[in-house]
Amino acid sequence: MRVALMALLMIPLAVGCGDDGDKSGDDTGRSADADADADADADADADADADADADIYGGDEYTAPHGGTMVKISAHTFEMGCTAGMSDCDEDEYPVHPVTLSNDFFIGETEVTQGEYLAMMGTNPSQLSSCGLDCPVDTMTWYMSAAFANAVSNSEGLDQCYTCTGSGDSTLCDIVVPDDPYSCGGYRLPTEAEWEAAARCGEDTLYAGSTVIGDVAWASDNADGTTHTVATKASNACGLYDMSGNVSEWTQDVYSSSYYAISSRIDPVGTLNFWDPSTWAGDYPSLRGGGWINPSQISRVTQRQGASPTGLSPGYGLRLVRTSF
């Protein structure tokens, strides 16, 4: 069942009686004062938002071995789920709850591109390869995404966060420390909490960086049936591109519709009991951000989906994170 949120704006109407001829000057003065106060409040709110963005955006960046830029996000507390700036929310986006991320972390400025994947893995699995090497890599299973993260970790001499076997779409992986992925020093997929914190970057906009889908995202409304070169839409306040749209991004966590009611409020993680292809049983990982194949509603920063970790969709891609120690 979809939960429709409607905000009802109540505007009190004051009606004055009697002779107000002598009051017009006073009323004009009070109106000017009220306007000045409102402007001051708006400026204060804007300054507060800017300060919050600055506190969350760590300011540090570096180029990872696969060629992607990694942007630092500072440890902070935020409200996760269907907050006031959202609309058309689903039941799995409730309850709204505070989440504290106690570690700084680095996250990809863009989704991993076809060129970056090709350079690291020697192949390009994308069904939409005609889009070009600067477009996001697509048709990625969860396991292929984990194996790519391992390859980047290995090239930098960092601990691998997964144990993987096989290759291509036959790859299978387990998480090294499933109950505490934050402790792994290498590259990995973001938890849902890390992903949403980075997408919001201290703001409460419907999409990552804007309330207008066309400003920041490629979705089915405007994508013309394909992915697009990364970073061609506007970024969010943390300088991250395509957090909404282009391709849906795999996360570290299992999808559960009741996750928000039971998850930890500090460094939450949805532990995966990995799906067994031989028995068609197990949990599905979560995807965030929506993509070119989805309607704009799926690109909202709070939208959650679950999919088979072996799913081969041209709408599935990835973005890397790494805990900052």
Side-chain angles (χ1 to χ4, degrees), residues 60 75 82 183 194 272 301 312:
D60 296 333
C82 188
S183 66
E194 288 174 317
L272 281 168
V301 297
L312 283 169

Side-chain angles (χ1 to χ4, degrees), residues 23-324:
K23 298 178 183 178
S24 59
D26 292 341
D27 289 344
T28 300
R30 282 195 294 268
S31 177
D33 290 343
D35 289 344
D37 290 343
D39 290 343
D41 289 344
D43 291 342
D45 289 343
D47 290 343
D49 288 343
D51 289 343
D53 296 346
D55 289 341
I56 294 168
Y57 170 56
D60 296 333
E61 299 179 0
Y62 73 94
T63 302
H66 66 292
T69 298
M70 303 296 291
V71 176
K72 190 174 185 178
I73 305 296
S74 298
H76 66 283
T77 298
F78 71 103
E79 291 292 310
M80 189 171 184
C82 188
T83 49
M86 301 301 114
S87 64
D88 200 22
C89 294
D90 295 322
E91 291 182 351
D92 62 0
E93 298 168 44
Y94 295 95
V96 177
H97 57 287
V99 168
T100 296
L101 295 172
S102 61
N103 298 293
D104 297 348
F105 63 96
F106 288 93
I107 187 168
E109 179 183 52
T110 69
E111 294 157 336
V112 174
T113 67
Q114 296 182 29
E116 291 165 356
Y117 190 91
L118 177 63
M120 186 62 60
M121 307 300 282
T123 185
N124 181 7
S126 302
Q127 291 187 43
L128 301 172
S129 58
S130 60
C131 180
L133 295 180
D134 291 328
C135 296
V137 65
D138 65 76
T139 321
M140 292 288 293
T141 70
W142 188 95
Y143 298 120
M144 292 166 65
S145 302
F148 176 78
N150 269 2
V152 179
S153 296
N154 188 59
S155 66
E156 198 170 314
L158 300 173
D159 292 339
Q160 295 185 359
C161 299
Y162 310 94
T163 56
C164 298
T165 59
S167 62
D169 59 13
S170 297
T171 300
L172 294 174
C173 301
D174 286 314
I175 301 173
V176 173
V177 187
D179 293 331
D180 187 16
Y182 303 99
S183 66
C184 181
Y187 293 89
R188 55 180 172 81
L189 301 175
T191 63
E192 283 201 73
E194 288 174 317
W195 189 95
E196 188 168 321
R200 287 178 176 275
C201 192
E203 300 182 333
D204 193 21
T205 54
L206 189 60
Y207 309 106
S210 179
T211 59
V212 179
I213 186 71
D215 290 349
V216 293
W218 295 107
S220 62
D221 313 57
N222 62 357
D224 295 325
T226 186
T227 53
H228 290 262
T229 300
V230 299
T232 53
K233 293 289 188 179
S235 71
N236 72 356
C238 286
L240 305 177
Y241 296 90
D242 301 310
M243 292 294 286
S244 292
N246 227 354
V247 290
S248 294
E249 301 173 14
W250 289 111
T251 76
Q252 180 89 354
D253 292 347
V254 66
Y255 171 81
S256 169
S257 61
S258 60
Y259 178 47
Y260 287 2
I262 61 175
S263 61
S264 172
R265 278 22 182 178
I266 300 175
D267 298 330
V269 57
T271 301
L272 281 168
N273 296 314
F274 281 94
W275 188 72
D276 183 351
S278 67
T279 62
W280 292 82
D283 293 324
Y284 284 179
S286 176
L287 288 154
R288 300 297 292 260
W292 68 272
I293 204 169
N294 305 118
S296 58
Q297 188 266 350
I298 306 298
S299 292
R300 296 177 302 107
V301 297
T302 57
Q303 172 71 29
R304 306 175 62 227
Q305 303 177 78
S308 164
T310 59
L312 283 169
S313 167
Y316 297 167
L318 76 149
R319 185 185 306 259
L320 294 179
V321 301
R322 183 173 71 82
T323 303
S324 176

